[in-house]
Amino acid sequence: MDPFLTARRVVSALGAVAALTLLTACGNDQGTAGAPQKLPGTAQPASGDQSTGDGTATSRGGTSADPAASGGTRTTPSAAATGGGTTSGTRCHTSALRASVGANNPGAGQENFPLVLTNRSGRTCTIDGYPGAAFVDASGKQLGPDPKRSSGSPTKVTLAPGRSAWAGLTFSNPEVSGARTATPAALLITPPDEKASLKVTWPGGAVPVSGNSSSVFLTPFQPGTGA
C-alpha cells in the first residue's frame, strides 16, 4: 500500500472528527442559552403582596394591620374602660318622689295647673322629660283620654334632696269650650321613664273628658314648683 495515500486518509479522517467535534460543541452552546434558568429556593411574594395561595390574607412579622389604614373603622376604648361617660342610676324613681298639684293659674279661657314632684330621698337624682297623667274616679277608673304632650324641649333637672320640679297640665275651660265634663277624685302622676304612679287628690273640679276641645296637655318638667 502506498504510504503517502495512507497518511492522507488518516489526516482526512482526523479532520472530519475535529469538524464534527466543533459542530457538536457549537450546538450545545446554543441549547444552553435558550433553556429556562432554574434558581434554588422558593419565590417570595412581591413587596406589599400579603396573599397566600389559598386566597387568604396573612400579616407580616406578626404585626396586626391598622384598620384605619385599610379603610376600616378604628376602635377606640369605651367610656366605661376609660372611666368616662355618665354615671348610671341617677334618675329619680317613683319611690324617691312626692307628688302634689299646685294652685290653678287661669288665663284666656285656659286652666293651668303645675304638677310638682319633690325629691324626698336622701340622694340627688334627675328628672328629664314629660310626666304621665290620668284623671280617675273614686273607683280608680280613668276619666277621659290620656293627656297629650305639648311642644317643648325637655331639659334634665337635677334635684337635690328636698328640691322640686314641675310640669304644666292645661286644658280649655269646659264652660268656654262646651266639652262634656267629669269631676275626678284623683290624678295619677307618673315620673319620666317610670312605670309606677303617684296618686294625689284632684283639687281642680270638673275637667273635659269628651267633645269639643276636650284635650288636656302636658309640658316638660322644669326646676321649681311653678308657683
Side-chain angles (χ1 to χ4, degrees):
M1 178 179 293
D2 187 349
F4 292 102
L5 180 58
T6 301
R8 289 179 59 186
R9 290 178 176 176
V10 171
V11 171
S12 296
L14 292 175
V17 171
L20 180 60
T21 301
L22 180 62
L23 182 60
T24 301
C26 290
N28 288 341
D29 287 343
Q30 290 176 355
T32 302
Q37 186 178 16
K38 185 175 181 180
L39 300 177
T42 304
Q44 298 297 318
S47 177
D49 180 3
Q50 297 182 2
S51 63
T52 61
D54 61 0
T56 60
T58 60
S59 60
R60 289 187 176 187
T63 303
S64 59
D66 183 353
S70 60
T73 302
R74 186 190 300 272
T75 301
T76 56
S78 64
T82 58
T86 303
T87 303
S88 62
T90 60
R91 185 178 81 244
C92 294
H93 299 291
T94 303
S95 59
L97 299 169
R98 179 178 68 252
S100 61
V101 178
N104 185 19
N105 183 23
Q110 293 292 115
E111 310 300 325
N112 305 293
F113 294 86
L115 308 184
V116 183
L117 295 180
T118 302
N119 182 5
R120 65 184 185 88
S121 74
R123 68 179 183 88
T124 298
C125 60
T126 60
I127 289 179
D128 187 5
Y130 293 82
F135 296 111
V136 296
D137 62 17
S139 66
K141 179 182 178 181
Q142 182 170 339
L143 302 173
D146 292 336
K148 299 178 180 179
R149 292 181 176 182
S150 63
S151 59
S153 299
T155 302
K156 183 178 290 187
V157 181
T158 300
L159 298 182
R163 307 300 290 181
S164 301
W166 71 279
L169 182 148
T170 182
F171 53 86
S172 296
N173 187 308
E175 293 183 2
V176 175
S177 68
R180 190 171 71 85
T181 65
T183 301
L187 177 68
L188 301 181
I189 303 174
T190 308
D193 301 315
E194 293 290 299
K195 294 181 179 180
S197 300
L198 297 167
K199 185 177 181 179
V200 296
T201 300
W202 173 247
V207 299
V209 293
S210 66
N212 296 332
S213 301
S214 62
S215 295
V216 178
F217 293 91
L218 296 168
T219 67
F221 277 102
Q222 53 188 302
T225 61

